[in-house]
Amino acid sequence: MPSTNAKPSLQLNAQGQLRHFLNIDGLERSLLEEILDTADSFVSVGEQAVKKVPLLRGKTVANLFFEASTRTRTTFELAAKRLSADVLNININTSAASKGESLKDMLQNLEAMACDMFVVRHANSGAAHFIAKHVCPDIAIINAGDGSNAHPTQAMLDMLTIRREKGGFENRTFAIVGDILHSRVARSEIQALKTLGAAEVRIIGPKTLLPKAPDSLGADKVYYDMKEGLKDVDVVIMLRLQRERMQTALLPSEHEYFRLYGLTNEKLAYAKPDALVMHPGPINRGVEIASEIADGPQSVILKQVSYGISVRMAILSMTMSGQTRPVTAAAPINRAPQ
Ligand code: CP
């Protein structure tokens, strides 16, 4: 149930329900738990012979990926299709954006086609927020990753993976390792873990790949040494080097980075014996993670991908319920047979 304490905001309606999903920051624990509970209830849909439920029949979801993606785009598409929505995958490279059409004009044209939801990935931090606030406030906007700011659906699928594999967050210690400076995943992950009651969240990386004020991210401890930082942790979340967001050379070499910060059996031995190894993907083998770890018994990297479908089903269905837009002839969900 939506929290009665929640104040209306860009993300929440007056009843405290999600109407956009832009950021973990500012969302209450009860709402994050509702997302996880809803996602849990959708896991079984993927195990059925017919992997479909009619919750979003008659609704149209447009995937707008202005930046490369494999996992997020395809799992959003599968999630929307499993909810029986119609899905538009807009190919930005072959769209009229290449003829000079602005983002605002493109989105308003899609709105005129009675799209109900936009899933937006963009290289600029704040892009999804800007669209929700200034361009299409009556369409549910889901942030699928904006610059180095936020990747809230990735954070929630990681939370579902942790909850299902470890039972919860309390009394557990988490380490997020690598290129924290450029990572939208790290920002959303820290917010989600702390909101859900994690006992301790550590960040580990070289000084050049941590923010100037690492405390500002909300983690409990900062480590520059991998073996010290991994000591007795329950979950290790590895990050790739996000070279597309690096302005200057911040590393001596990939070989040296792997020696110091790459996850190997030797370094993982400092964590608890049953520690989970996670990675949002794409993984770079031999750079931030050894193949024997990525494919090893403690890795849940591919489970994260599977749970991503259930979490995205939960977020699509919850934001659709939270939108207050009146149902029109162009979106006759109420008249569709159930
Ligand atoms: N984790 C993640 O966002 O992967 P993609 O870039 O493939 O979507």
Side-chain angles (χ1 to χ4, degrees):
M1 291 297 291
S3 162
T4 48
N5 300 324
K7 293 193 179 64
S9 64
L10 187 58
Q11 295 199 93
L12 302 179
N13 68 17
Q15 290 74 45
Q17 298 169 304
L18 274 181
R19 54 192 291 270
H20 303 295
F21 191 61
L22 306 170
N23 208 336
I24 302 291
D25 201 18
L27 298 181
E28 291 188 3
R29 179 172 180 161
S30 58
L31 185 53
L32 299 192
E33 286 174 342
E34 188 190 347
I35 293 171
L36 296 181
D37 293 344
T38 309
D40 255 330
S41 75
F42 284 133
V43 171
S44 62
V45 175
E47 295 157 0
Q48 292 168 190
V50 178
K51 301 180 184 64
K52 258 196 197 313
V53 288
L55 278 172
L56 293 189
R57 187 149 51 174
K59 298 291 183 187
T60 304
V61 177
N63 278 326
L64 293 152
F65 280 64
F66 297 86
E67 205 190 55
S69 168
T70 298
R71 281 145 290 271
T72 312
R73 199 198 62 71
T74 49
T75 54
F76 261 115
E77 180 175 353
L78 278 174
K81 287 180 171 169
R82 287 186 187 177
L83 291 166
S84 306
D86 296 316
V87 182
L88 294 177
N89 288 309
I90 311 296
N91 185 337
I92 302 299
N93 293 330
T94 56
S95 76
S98 62
K99 300 179 196 166
E101 185 173 43
S102 72
L103 173 65
K104 184 176 174 199
D105 286 329
M106 175 199 271
L107 298 181
Q108 287 178 339
N109 275 266
L110 290 169
E111 189 171 17
M113 297 173 208
C115 287
D116 299 284
M117 314 187 84
F118 291 158
V119 178
V120 181
R121 168 167 290 190
H122 204 286
N124 292 342
S125 295
H129 187 276
F130 179 84
I131 293 165
K133 190 162 185 187
H134 299 292
V135 186
C136 301
D138 296 327
I139 288 190
I141 308 296
I142 316 284
N143 184 2
D146 63 323
S148 56
N149 181 48
H151 197 347
T153 64
Q154 178 70 45
M156 290 313 296
L157 74 88
D158 289 347
M159 297 307 112
L160 184 67
T161 308
I162 293 165
R163 198 172 79 164
R164 289 179 72 97
E165 295 291 318
K166 286 284 176 198
F169 305 90
E170 271 109 359
N171 307 317
R172 303 249 179 233
T173 301
F174 300 83
I176 305 176
V177 186
D179 182 1
I180 309 283
L181 178 65
H182 301 100
S183 176
R184 55 195 176 206
V185 174
R187 280 165 182 72
S188 292
E189 213 92 282
I190 294 166
Q191 290 161 359
L193 285 168
K194 293 308 294 180
T195 305
L196 287 164
E200 188 174 305
V201 180
R202 305 175 183 177
I203 51 177
I204 309 171
K207 274 197 174 133
T208 51
L209 294 179
L210 290 168
K212 282 204 175 65
D215 294 346
S216 64
L217 295 179
D220 299 292
K221 291 186 181 161
V222 182
Y223 291 88
Y224 305 103
D225 180 86
M226 196 68 174
K227 292 174 183 172
E228 279 175 32
L230 289 184
K231 189 149 179 24
D232 295 330
V233 302
D234 296 282
V235 177
V236 185
I237 301 171
M238 298 304 298
L239 301 173
R240 91 185 153 85
L241 297 172
Q242 290 133 88
R243 293 195 179 280
E244 69 276 21
R245 294 190 202 110
M246 293 183 192
Q247 310 289 331
T248 54
L250 297 172
L251 299 163
S253 70
E254 284 187 352
H255 180 77
E256 185 66 358
Y257 182 80
F258 183 68
R259 190 177 72 76
L260 293 171
Y261 293 99
L263 191 60
T264 55
N265 277 324
E266 190 210 347
K267 295 191 193 96
L268 185 58
Y270 286 80
K272 286 190 181 155
D274 62 347
L276 296 183
V277 174
M278 303 177 68
H279 192 310
I283 62 173
N284 289 146
R285 293 169 186 263
V287 180
E288 76 275 4
I289 191 165
S291 273
E292 75 233 32
I293 301 289
D295 304 328
Q298 287 169 260
S299 168
V300 290
I301 294 171
L302 293 178
K303 284 189 181 174
Q304 291 172 256
V305 177
S306 303
Y307 291 140
I309 303 172
S310 315
V311 161
R312 288 170 174 136
M313 288 172 78
I315 289 163
L316 288 170
S317 57
M318 287 171 67
T319 47
M320 198 66 252
S321 302
Q323 270 291 335
T324 51
R325 192 157 72 126
V327 175
T328 67
I333 186 72
N334 290 342
R335 293 202 295 278
Q338 296 301 306

